[in-house]
């Protein structure tokens, strides 16, 4: 269904852009989204970033977006439509758009592309991502301190490095303060399916989890956590309205400043292909206010971790850390390099499940 | 891994919750198809029912009014399908697809200001003594009212189709509309009522999703449940009880694979995730392998347009 929807949307967009092309020298900015802008998670936050561009440049820009674009050849069609209709810069905001972005970018060397969370670049393709794992370290710490059943439930989407990194970071932080902690991981193989996300949350609660973390896009798990009276962490966006009691804090994706900066670069003609990976320090990852359900001492220690990560005096992956098979990954005091983090495809020692291939 | 960590009782309870939206939509579509109409707009009517039910429940504060609103919303959208296919003689497949797209778009528009609101909680059955029984209590006597309603609806549809004159007429219209017309039955009127019923059921299924299974409104939250419902109707070879089995099987495998993952079974999560769809495909293949039986079960006039003058 998404296919037809996005094709129609693409067509409508082409008509809209073609009509506007004569209107003046506006910088045209296009976005393709994996989910709906109303998901109150991942896509919602990207759309907030789009609105930040409009707020910053007003009449000088024109932004367009197509939502619910599948990570398939459909995304190439949508991006091609955008490029054909005079879009100056296109933000593709999901990991598996990667190869499609490069394909389209090859055909339109004058159009700038920005691909979120990917690692393949070209002269006109930049990549950008946020160090969400820093946020995971903070919530892992809180979860480790707060869990009564010593079981953290984790709803994972796809086994890609970004998700694996998040699991490892939160597990390490929880383990550091609670040696008995266990992590139960359920892969749902979707970014957005509220029904399935809710089912996964229920299954994890059934297995004894009293804290739920998620790497999916909807607030369904937060709603279930609220209903069942357990703890959860907002993902991508502040989800406290869905779980006023359940949400301990949230990892907030703050794309606005980066988007404004990149569009500015296009306007000034200074845009070049870059790789950006910012964390709490640069404000790309935000931590929502702590719930008052968290005891004061835990709030203080979690806050200290957040600040140390921001200041760069602490790193989420600092040795000694072994891989799941027991082999040494980082020696004592050694800090993970970005290359390994970007391609992380292994669990750290202590996680019992097997990583899907 | 520890299989004993999976409690069969809670597994059954969650599979019923996960299956009910699909079951409601499928049983409605079954009646529609039995009357010889193929309405591919189930997904659209479901999502529209999800938001209209959500709005009704939040505004009134009553989950019951929410479900009535959901059913009304689904039926309202199906009116469009009726006008297109029964009066303007439009192609049913295209109209149904159009209905789905429209439902998705319209619901996003209507629901814009309703995201992040908590719907009123639905009452659960609680019979002193019975609901507290071990095993039987949670499985049989402690659900929300809609689960009982959905099963009663399946029984009702079965009774209607097989034991009442009106049901016989509906089937006659679906098997041979020209003959039914010649006998003086109002083909269009029968189909109109069937489509309205189907729309109401799909809307109810959507409302179940937004009021009980997830409880929240999120744009596009049905994520293909309507298409699964359509497959379940074929899966159940247009028989109400088989549709119930099909829906519970699909829901059951979905829930089971999530639970298996949670206890750490190492089969490979990707394969587990695929199983509900694979099983659906296998059953569909097995069913259609026997051409004779499949053609006996499928309503002969399915998807064909009727005009009295021909």
């Amino acid at each position: 269904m998404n296919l037809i929807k996005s094709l129609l949307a693409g067509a409508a967009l082409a008509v809209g852009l073609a009509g506007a092309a004569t209107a003046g020298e506006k910088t045209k900015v296009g976005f393709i989204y994996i989910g709906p802008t109303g998901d109150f998670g991942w896509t919602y936050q990207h759309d907030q970033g789009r609105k930040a561009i409009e707020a910053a440049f007003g009449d000088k820009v024109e932004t367009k977006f197509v939502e619910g674009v599948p990570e398939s050849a459909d995304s190439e069609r949508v991006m091609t439509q955008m490029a054909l209709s005079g879009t100056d810069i296109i933000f593709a905001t999901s990991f598996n758009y990667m190869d499609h972005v490069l394909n389209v970018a090859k055909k339109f060397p004058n159009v700038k592309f920005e691909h979120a969370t990917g690692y393949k670049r070209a002269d006109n393709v930049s990549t950008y991502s946020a160090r969400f794992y820093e946020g995971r370290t903070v919530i892992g710490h809180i979860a480790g301190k707060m869990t009564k059943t010593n079981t953290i439930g984790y709803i994972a989407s796809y086994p890609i490095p970004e998700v694996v990194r998040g699991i490892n970071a939160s597990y390490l932080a929880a383990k550091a303060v609670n040696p008995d902690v266990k992590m139960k991981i359920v892969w749902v193989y979707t970014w957005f399916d509220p029904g399935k996300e809710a089912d996964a949350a229920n299954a994890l609660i059934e297995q004894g989890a009293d804290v739920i973390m998620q790497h999916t896009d909807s607030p369904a798990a937060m709603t279930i956590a609220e209903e069942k009276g357990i703890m959860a962490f907002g993902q991508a966006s502040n989800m406290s309205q869905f779980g006023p009691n359940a949400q301990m804090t949230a990892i907030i994706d703050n794309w606005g400043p980066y988007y404004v900066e990149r569009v500015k670069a296009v306007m000034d003609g200074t845009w070049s292909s870059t790789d950006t990976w910012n964390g709490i320090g640069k404000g790309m990852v935000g931590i929502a206010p702590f719930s008052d359900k968290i005891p004061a001492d835990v709030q203080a220690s979690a806050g200290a971790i957040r600040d140390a990560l921001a200041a760069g005096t602490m790193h989420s992956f600092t040795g000694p850390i072994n891989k799941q098979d027991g082999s040494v990954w980082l020696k004592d005091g050694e800090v993970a390099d970005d290359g390994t983090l970007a391609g992380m495809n292994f669990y750290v020692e202590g996680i019992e499940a097997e990583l899907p291939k | 891994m520890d299989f004993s960590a999976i409690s069969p009782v809670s597994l059954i309870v969650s599979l019923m919750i996960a299956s009910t939206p699909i079951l409601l939509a499928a049983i409605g579509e079954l009646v529609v198809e039995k009357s010889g109409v193929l309405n591919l707009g189930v997904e659209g009517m479901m999502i529209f029912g999800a938001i209209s039910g959500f709005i009704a429940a939040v505004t009134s504060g009553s989950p019951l009014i929410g479900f009535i609103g959901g059913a009304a919303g689904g039926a309202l959208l199906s009116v469009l399908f009726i006008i297109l296919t029964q009066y303007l003689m439009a192609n049913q497949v295209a109209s149904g697809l159009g209905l789905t797209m429209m439902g998705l778009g319209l619901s996003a528009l209507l629901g814009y200001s309703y995201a992040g609101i908590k719907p009123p909680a639905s009452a659960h059955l609680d019979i002193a003594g019975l609901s507290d029984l071990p095993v039987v209590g949670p499985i049989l006597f402690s659900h929300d009212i809609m689960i009982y309603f959905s099963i009663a609806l399946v029984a009702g549809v079965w009774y209607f189709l097989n034991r009442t004159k009106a049901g016989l007429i509906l089937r006659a219209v679906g098997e041979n509309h020209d003959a039914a017309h010649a006998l003086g039955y109002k083909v269009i009127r029968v189909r109109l009522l069937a489509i309205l019923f189907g729309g109401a059921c799909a809307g109810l299924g959507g409302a179940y999703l937004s009021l009980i299974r997830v409880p929240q409104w999120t744009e596009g939250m049905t994520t293909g449940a309507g298409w699964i419902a359509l497959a379940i109707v074929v899966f159940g070879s247009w028989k109400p009880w088989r549709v119930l089995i099909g829906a519970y099987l699909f829901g059951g495998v979905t829930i089971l694979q999530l639970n298996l993952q949670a206890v750490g079974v190492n089969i490979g999560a990707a394969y587990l995730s695929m199983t509900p769809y694979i099983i659906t495909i296998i059953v569909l293949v097995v069913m259609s392998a026997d051409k004779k039986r499949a053609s006996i079960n499928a309503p002969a006039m399915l998807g064909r347009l009727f005009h009295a003058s021909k």
Side-chain angles (χ1 to χ4, degrees):
Chain A
M1 216 46 261
N2 274 332
L3 186 150
I4 298 164
K5 198 175 149 195
S6 44
L7 283 183
L8 284 180
L13 185 88
V15 172
L17 283 178
T22 50
E25 283 304 302
K26 285 184 176 182
T27 304
K28 296 191 181 65
V29 186
F31 283 84
I32 61 169
Y33 298 143
I34 178 81
T37 51
D39 69 355
F40 278 80
W42 177 258
T43 298
Y44 175 80
Q45 288 298 126
H46 282 287
D47 201 51
Q48 295 295 310
R50 182 186 64 83
K51 288 178 180 162
I53 295 174
E54 288 190 333
F57 301 111
D59 286 345
K60 284 189 274 177
V61 290
E62 184 177 305
T63 68
K64 294 274 175 183
F65 66 88
V66 180
E67 55 185 348
V69 180
E71 292 170 317
S72 62
D74 287 331
S75 65
E76 279 186 41
R77 283 190 271 278
V78 175
M79 284 184 281
T80 304
Q81 280 288 0
M82 279 187 173
L84 281 174
S85 53
T87 307
D88 298 298
I89 179 167
I90 296 173
F91 291 90
T93 62
S94 191
F95 175 76
N96 278 319
Y97 291 146
M98 183 156 63
D99 292 332
H100 306 297
V101 169
L102 286 152
N103 289 345
V104 180
K106 218 176 281 172
K107 288 184 232 157
F108 298 94
N110 295 323
V111 178
K112 317 280 186 261
F113 292 84
E114 295 266 350
H115 178 224
T117 68
Y119 54 82
K120 293 185 185 169
R121 282 169 293 281
D123 284 345
N124 59 337
V125 180
S126 283
T127 52
Y128 63 100
S129 186
R131 295 180 187 270
F132 305 116
Y133 65 84
E134 295 185 349
R136 303 260 173 216
T137 300
V138 178
I139 66 172
H141 174 84
I142 297 171
K145 288 267 192 190
M146 300 282 290
T147 177
K148 302 262 187 316
T149 60
N150 291 329
T151 308
I152 299 171
Y154 204 110
I155 305 170
S157 48
Y158 295 98
I160 57 172
E162 186 200 334
V163 177
V164 176
R165 207 159 53 227
I167 294 171
N168 284 335
S170 44
Y171 177 76
L172 286 171
K175 181 93 174 170
V177 292
N178 182 348
D180 298 325
V181 81
K182 279 207 167 74
M183 193 169 261
K184 290 188 186 286
I185 302 155
V186 169
W187 297 91
V188 290
Y189 286 89
T190 177
W191 288 112
F192 176 79
D193 183 343
K196 205 167 178 188
E197 291 169 51
D199 291 342
N202 276 318
L204 287 164
I205 295 166
E206 202 61 53
Q207 295 305 321
D210 65 346
V211 190
I212 299 280
M213 296 179 181
Q214 65 174 75
H215 205 139
T216 47
D217 296 352
S218 95
M222 181 61 75
T223 316
I224 297 296
E226 179 75 15
E227 199 178 74
K228 294 279 162 73
I230 63 154
M231 295 171 275
F233 295 94
Q235 163 72 9
S237 191
N238 192 334
M239 295 178 172
S240 63
Q241 54 184 337
F242 296 93
N245 297 303
Q247 178 172 298
M248 296 292 109
T249 181
I251 302 173
I252 299 171
D253 310 352
N254 183 20
W255 303 109
Y258 177 77
Y259 286 171
V260 169
E261 180 192 317
R262 299 305 283 175
V263 171
K264 183 89 184 15
V266 170
M267 288 174 167
D268 300 345
T270 56
W271 190 95
S272 64
S273 174
T274 52
D275 177 27
T276 305
W277 204 12
N278 290 342
I280 298 177
K282 290 261 175 70
M284 202 179 247
V285 176
I287 303 292
F290 296 132
S291 157
D292 54 16
K293 305 239 168 3
I294 305 176
D297 59 321
V298 180
Q299 289 202 30
S301 56
I305 290 176
R306 176 195 60 205
D307 298 340
L309 287 165
T313 52
M314 176 188 172
H315 193 284
S316 297
F317 296 99
T318 307
I321 302 173
N322 288 349
K323 293 186 181 180
Q324 192 180 31
D325 59 15
S327 62
V328 177
W329 173 37
L330 296 173
K331 290 193 217 55
D332 198 4
E334 197 184 351
V335 167
D337 63 286
D338 281 358
T340 314
L341 288 182
M344 189 176 257
N345 59 355
F346 56 87
Y347 282 146
V348 293
E349 194 174 45
I351 297 180
E352 282 169 10
E354 195 174 303
L355 180 62
K357 286 287 174 287
Chain B
M1 70 188 88
D2 180 14
F3 287 107
S4 64
I6 300 180
S7 142
V9 173
S10 61
L11 203 63
I12 292 173
V13 172
S14 12
L15 91 81
M16 289 173 92
I17 294 174
S19 310
T20 299
I22 304 173
L23 174 62
L24 284 166
I27 198 71
E29 178 68 11
L30 180 140
V31 172
V32 177
E33 294 192 9
K34 270 288 182 191
S35 79
V37 177
L38 181 65
N39 185 356
L40 294 182
V42 182
E43 175 84 359
M45 298 186 296
M46 266 186 104
I47 189 89
F48 193 68
I51 186 59
S52 46
F54 192 84
I55 293 175
V58 168
T59 331
S60 68
S62 148
L64 181 68
I65 292 176
F67 283 112
I68 294 170
L76 188 71
L77 203 60
S78 73
V79 169
L80 192 70
F81 185 80
I82 292 171
I83 294 170
L84 286 171
T85 61
Q86 302 304 306
Y87 294 104
L88 302 177
M89 297 291 138
N91 179 290
Q92 292 180 3
V93 172
S95 307
L97 290 173
L99 204 64
T100 290
M101 282 184 272
M102 188 179 153
L104 287 167
L106 208 57
S107 63
L109 188 70
L110 283 175
Y112 195 75
S113 52
Y114 284 90
I117 296 176
K118 203 176 153 56
S122 301
H124 281 236
L125 192 64
D126 189 12
I127 307 167
L130 284 180
S131 302
D132 304 326
L133 288 174
V135 185
V136 185
I139 294 179
L140 292 182
F141 302 112
S142 62
H143 295 295
D144 53 84
I145 310 298
M146 283 309 291
I147 286 190
Y148 301 103
F149 179 78
S150 67
I151 297 170
L153 196 65
V154 173
V157 166
W158 174 84
Y159 184 82
F160 169 79
L161 288 176
N162 296 302
R163 295 285 184 275
T164 66
K165 192 183 172 200
L168 189 64
I169 294 171
L170 183 131
R171 283 190 289 142
V173 167
E175 292 302 334
N176 190 331
H177 49 219
D178 293 320
H181 177 67
L183 286 171
Y185 296 124
K186 308 282 186 211
V187 173
I188 300 289
R189 188 181 301 166
V190 169
R191 288 188 171 165
L192 186 151
L193 292 171
I195 296 168
L196 278 177
F197 177 77
C201 287
L204 217 49
Y208 188 85
L209 190 65
S210 65
L211 293 177
I212 295 181
R213 188 174 168 210
V214 180
Q216 67 179 38
W217 164 252
T218 319
E219 218 181 298
M221 69 185 300
T222 47
T223 55
W227 299 104
I228 298 295
L230 278 163
I232 297 284
V233 175
V234 184
F235 184 111
S237 55
W238 293 271
K239 289 182 167 40
W241 292 113
R242 288 198 201 166
V243 164
L244 178 102
I245 293 169
Y248 279 11
L249 194 65
F250 183 84
V253 178
T254 308
I255 294 297
L256 185 65
Q257 65 97 353
L258 291 172
N259 275 280
L260 285 176
Q261 282 197 50
V263 296
V265 175
N266 290 334
I267 306 175
Y271 299 109
L272 286 173
S273 244
M274 276 182 237
T275 40
Y277 304 94
I278 291 178
I279 290 182
T280 307
I281 291 171
I282 291 174
V283 174
L284 288 178
V285 168
V286 169
M287 284 209 24
S288 57
D290 192 350
K291 281 247 163 57
K292 233 180 190 170
R293 274 191 59 198
S295 58
I296 286 171
N297 284 326
M301 295 292 119
L302 191 58
R304 300 256 283 272
L305 291 176
F306 169 76
H307 194 275
S309 65
K310 274 207 283 189

